[in-house]
Amino acid sequence: MRPLVLLIALLTVPTASAQEVFLPRDVFELERATQPQISPDGSRIVYVRSGFDVMTDGSRTALWIINADGSGHRPLTDGTYGVSQPRWSPRGDRLAYVSSKDGRSQVYVRWMDTGDVAELTDLERGPSSLAWSPDGTRIALSMFVPNADPDIAVEMPRKPRGADWGPEWTFIDDINYRSDGRQGFVEQGGSQLFILPAEGGTPRQVTFGPQSHGGTPSWTPDGNALILSANRRADYEVEARDSEVYRLDLATGDLTALTDRYGPDASPRVSSNGQIAYRGYDDTYMGYMQNRLYVMDADGSGSRELLPEFDRSVGSAEWSADGRALYISYTDEGMGRVARVTLDGTLTTLNGNVGGLSIGRPYSGGQASFAGNGTYAFTSGTPQRPADLWVGAANGRTRQLTFLNEDLLGARELGEVEEIWYDSSFDDRRVHGWIITPPGFDPSQKYPLILEIHGGPFSSYGPHFSAEAQLYASKGYVVLYTNPRGSTSYGAEFGNLIHHAYPGNDYDDLISGVDAVLERGYVDENQLYVTGGSGGGVLTSWIIGKTDRFRAAVVQKPVINWYSFVLNADGLSTFWKYWFPGPPWEHQDHYMARSPISLIGNVTTPTMLITGEVDYRTPMSETEQYYGALKIKGVEASLVRVPDASHGIASRPSNLIAKTGHVLAWFDKYRATVQEASR
């Protein structure tokens, strides 16, 4: 029951030579640019500067502004309270945002000419999804509204004075009764839309019902209606993905469906001439389905797909000022991109280097914002730097505006990141990955290797900064991370190679990557280690059930038994329907054949397990099953329980440090064994 003792070198003052590498305490000093918002005329950019607070072990955010030419970089808030969702008014004279300045999240507005700030709301619950009306007189927002109390009444005898009968019981009758990231049970209700006067006042609720009307709405050009997405089916909990686009008349409250196909129709955006763009797909219960881009007339007629041959998922879409084109984002081979799409379906990529938002692991993902003149702001990082703020022009030119981590990382020798493509031993399919070599790397030497596997499984890594991988490299490990079959950003066919077959031949893709690095000659084949979280935890446990090549493994927040997972994780309405041919009691053999627990008889690899104690995505019970099985079998195993942590076990900076520290301590234990045996 005692915690694993981390290596003292992780947290103590380093020697002079070690000061040049990335250190665990450096995590607290990392910053990144997020949520860029460019002014309507393209002259100024507001963004959220995000970092960490070493005293509170949490995030620290502030609004900053900078001119598009790089001048005038200065803060708008002081970073002592949380801020998010900056939104320029249509004329660019005001800025709305959400802040927790007084302890609760409220909507604020700043007048940009004077710097005056007003708190517009006094809400009990946090607002989100801010959207200015075209004339700047109103702001639409989303806020959670609880449902009515359950319609049953339980009679209890009168409690005697001073009696202690224990806490009240919890009554649940919803299928989605808990959600990862929320400690305790989910309060039943939905996100509803409100209209707030831009000068402050009482928000007026305009959508109603038990269903959520979430996401950012879009105003019609005349300001008389909102275009929004919602799932208003009576069985919305079971058919969770079947949303439609609606028109909400603000004078009458009438809600009119503009789409009717089975599948999600979401993120509607209205052009200056009233056309509506939206994203979605025909739901065929495939594990991976890509968002397609559609345009329709204001009344819902004439719907058509703009990019029928485009084999990437459309991430966001915004209209150009003249309504003749759309700006979209997407991810291709691990890299975020933005493009311009005309109404005849012509796509022109503007920028292929959008991303850098992840701090812990090198996940893809970035943000962009477009002005009326075609200028745009976006986040971009490198393998050695988290996201900075950049600006781009319609002619393709880009410019970096911030250098948020140069003061820290400019004084650190980081691991070099190299792209690698290799063939899978299963079917010779090309697989994409990256290798990080340790600081001071000498290719004539032999190094231990860590195979680090991404989660999802429908997600992707890319050539992005990773504090975790850099900490592994700083301790002398070569790190390999790849995008095996099932990863996104390589097309629908590649993503669905694991449809009803995960984990499976993604194992061959990963092992082929290890073999490809071994062929380079600088990795010791007797010092191979493997780790991964969530979907990567699934594959780590699957790998050690298929091979004993790895000296040690760290399985993070895994699924071990698919039968128990689909009935115990949050998302009861989805996993069994999209990842399996049906519910587990109808396909018991199928579920067990894909469960890592079925391979426990083969496992000999010393294994550490790490999971958050309030993880509702891959519940602790999954980890406990595997730990129990390993102990029964006599395999050397340890269990690390992360207190108060949900699925994102590294969301606190100290947890990120402790997570990598535990991984390194476990691997170093067996790395030392190898080194001693070679003497």
Side-chain angles (χ1 to χ4, degrees):
M1 297 295 292
R2 61 182 175 84
L4 182 75
V5 178
L6 302 185
L7 297 179
I8 298 299
L10 289 176
L11 300 177
T12 54
V13 177
T15 63
S17 59
Q19 288 180 345
E20 298 179 354
V21 301
F22 187 65
L23 302 168
R25 66 166 181 254
D26 291 337
V27 170
F28 282 102
E29 305 301 323
L30 294 172
E31 295 184 272
R32 56 182 173 155
T34 68
Q35 303 180 50
Q37 290 291 303
I38 193 165
S39 62
D41 65 1
S43 65
R44 295 173 292 175
I45 302 161
V46 169
Y47 72 97
V48 175
R49 185 166 175 170
S50 178
F52 299 118
D53 188 329
V54 71
M55 300 305 295
T56 64
D57 196 20
S59 62
R60 182 182 177 94
T61 56
L63 287 178
W64 283 66
I65 191 170
I66 189 170
N67 295 325
D69 63 5
S71 64
H73 192 207
R74 61 192 186 278
L76 298 180
T77 64
D78 63 10
T80 59
Y81 45 85
V83 290
S84 65
Q85 306 176 61
R87 298 292 184 268
W88 290 95
S89 65
R91 291 190 301 169
D93 59 334
R94 287 161 292 166
L95 186 76
Y97 59 95
V98 174
S99 172
S100 59
K101 181 177 181 180
D102 294 326
R104 293 182 299 165
S105 293
Q106 304 294 340
V107 178
Y108 288 74
V109 164
R110 179 187 182 97
W111 279 259
M112 302 307 291
D113 57 347
T114 65
D116 293 330
V117 176
E119 181 179 354
L120 298 191
T121 59
D122 183 20
L123 306 172
E124 293 184 7
R125 299 174 184 271
S128 63
S129 307
L130 308 185
W132 287 88
S133 64
D135 62 2
T137 62
R138 293 162 292 169
I139 300 172
L141 61 90
S142 176
M143 187 171 62
F144 178 83
V145 176
N147 290 345
D149 292 333
D151 56 358
I152 70 166
V154 178
E155 292 187 11
M156 293 289 292
R158 183 175 181 179
K159 184 188 301 185
R161 180 178 298 177
D164 181 4
W165 288 7
E168 292 186 6
W169 292 17
T170 301
F171 177 84
I172 296 171
D173 64 354
D174 297 279
I175 190 171
N176 297 314
Y177 63 93
R178 58 183 178 181
S179 178
D180 187 70
R182 302 184 191 179
Q183 296 190 16
F185 296 107
V186 173
E187 183 179 10
Q188 296 305 311
S191 294
Q192 304 298 342
L193 295 178
F194 294 76
I195 302 298
L196 171 70
E199 295 180 352
T202 302
R204 176 171 66 95
Q205 186 174 345
V206 293
T207 63
F208 302 87
Q211 305 95 335
S212 283
H213 301 72
T216 303
S218 187
W219 292 81
T220 56
D222 59 11
N224 293 330
L226 291 176
I227 307 299
L228 60 107
S229 174
N231 180 345
R232 292 181 55 83
R233 295 176 58 126
D235 59 350
Y236 67 95
E237 286 193 301
V238 177
E239 295 290 352
R241 296 189 182 183
D242 188 24
S243 60
E244 309 296 347
V245 175
Y246 289 87
R247 183 184 190 275
L248 173 64
D249 188 296
L250 294 176
T252 66
D254 292 340
L255 200 61
T256 305
L258 303 181
T259 60
D260 62 0
R261 59 108 171 260
Y262 182 70
D265 293 317
S267 305
R269 293 293 179 266
V270 185
S271 72
S272 55
N273 56 28
Q275 282 190 295
I276 301 170
Y278 62 101
R279 298 181 295 125
Y281 53 81
D282 295 304
D283 194 342
T284 59
Y285 299 126
M286 298 296 289
Y288 174 54
M289 286 175 284
Q290 297 183 143
N291 276 316
R292 318 302 299 170
L293 179 64
Y294 301 87
V295 172
M296 61 183 173
D297 296 332
D299 61 0
S301 63
S303 177
R304 61 190 179 91
E305 185 176 355
L306 272 191
L307 298 168
E309 304 302 320
F310 186 58
D311 192 20
R312 295 293 184 269
S313 187
V314 177
S316 63
E318 299 291 343
W319 285 97
S320 62
D322 59 12
R324 296 180 179 179
L326 286 150
Y327 297 107
I328 69 167
S329 66
Y330 64 98
T331 304
D332 179 48
E333 297 183 349
M335 283 300 303
R337 305 182 189 278
V338 293
R340 185 177 188 270
V341 182
T342 58
L343 294 181
D344 64 0
T346 301
L347 183 146
T348 304
T349 298
L350 302 176
N351 188 295
N353 192 30
V354 180
L357 294 183
S358 181
I359 289 289
R361 295 195 279 166
Y363 280 110
S364 307
Q367 296 167 328
S369 171
F370 290 84
N373 62 1
T375 304
Y376 61 100
F378 64 100
T379 64
S380 181
T382 70
Q384 277 77 35
R385 301 289 187 274
D388 273 298
L389 182 68
W390 289 63
V391 65
N395 61 10
R397 293 180 180 176
T398 62
R399 179 182 178 183
Q400 184 172 354
L401 298 182
T402 66
F403 300 83
L404 300 182
N405 293 283
E406 204 58 36
D407 55 340
L408 170 70
L409 298 181
R412 295 287 184 265
E413 183 182 359
L414 299 174
E416 293 293 330
V417 180
E418 177 187 355
E419 183 180 44
I420 181 175
W421 287 87
Y422 58 90
D423 297 332
S424 172
S425 62
F426 175 68
D427 56 6
D428 293 327
R429 191 177 297 271
R430 296 286 283 169
V431 180
H432 197 191
W434 292 266
I435 303 168
I436 304 182
T437 52
F441 174 68
D442 180 352
S444 67
Q445 302 296 314
K446 293 285 189 178
Y447 294 86
L449 171 74
I450 295 176
L451 171 63
E452 209 285 335
I453 309 171
H454 74 63
F458 301 112
S459 62
S460 65
Y461 278 161
H464 309 299
F465 180 81
S466 166
E468 294 181 24
Q470 288 292 344
L471 287 172
Y472 298 151
S474 73
K475 290 297 180 179
Y477 289 87
V478 170
V479 182
L480 171 66
Y481 64 89
T482 75
N483 286 331
R485 66 192 64 212
S487 299
T488 57
S489 77
Y490 298 88
E493 190 256 350
F494 188 83
N496 278 310
L497 288 173
I498 63 169
H499 180 63
H500 293 177
Y502 163 73
N505 297 121
D506 34 9
Y507 163 85
D508 302 286
D509 297 350
L510 293 164
I511 297 302
S512 296
V514 172
D515 290 336
V517 178
L518 284 171
E519 289 176 1
R520 299 188 172 207
Y522 51 74
V523 167
D524 184 346
E525 65 180 358
N526 294 315
Q527 292 199 64
L528 305 180
Y529 306 88
V530 59
T531 189
S534 192
V538 174
L539 281 164
T540 301
S541 57
W542 188 258
I543 283 171
I544 61 176
K546 303 275 283 185
T547 181
D548 61 359
R549 293 179 64 182
F550 294 89
R551 290 201 60 83
V554 178
V555 177
Q556 305 172 41
K557 49 188 180 182
V559 175
I560 297 303
N561 184 336
W562 290 113
Y563 199 122
S564 57
F565 166 77
V566 300
L567 300 178
N568 197 30
D570 65 348
L572 277 173
S573 62
T574 56
F575 288 120
W576 67 269
K577 186 185 301 184
Y578 292 92
W579 289 12
F580 294 90
W585 52 88
E586 295 179 2
H587 304 274
Q588 294 185 40
D589 291 344
H590 182 100
Y591 275 72
M592 185 52 62
R594 289 169 53 188
S595 295
I597 197 71
S598 68
L599 302 178
I600 195 69
N602 302 330
V603 178
T604 59
T605 305
T607 302
M608 172 184 281
L609 295 116
I610 305 176
T611 300
E613 290 190 334
V614 288
D615 187 333
Y616 294 152
R617 182 62 44 78
T618 56
M620 176 62 79
S621 58
E622 293 294 311
T623 293
E624 290 170 333
Q625 287 182 64
Y626 201 59
Y627 178 71
L630 291 170
K631 284 298 187 181
I632 289 171
K633 190 174 181 295
V635 177
E636 187 170 356
S638 61
L639 171 60
V640 180
R641 306 174 67 97
V642 186
D644 300 325
S646 59
H647 196 59
I649 56 176
S651 58
R652 291 175 177 267
S654 68
N655 279 1
L656 189 156
I657 294 169
K659 171 187 167 184
T660 54
H662 278 81
V663 172
L664 285 167
W666 188 251
F667 289 168
D668 282 352
K669 175 181 178 180
Y670 297 95
R671 179 180 175 183
T673 301
V674 173
Q675 291 169 341
E676 290 168 1
S678 64
R679 290 173 185 165

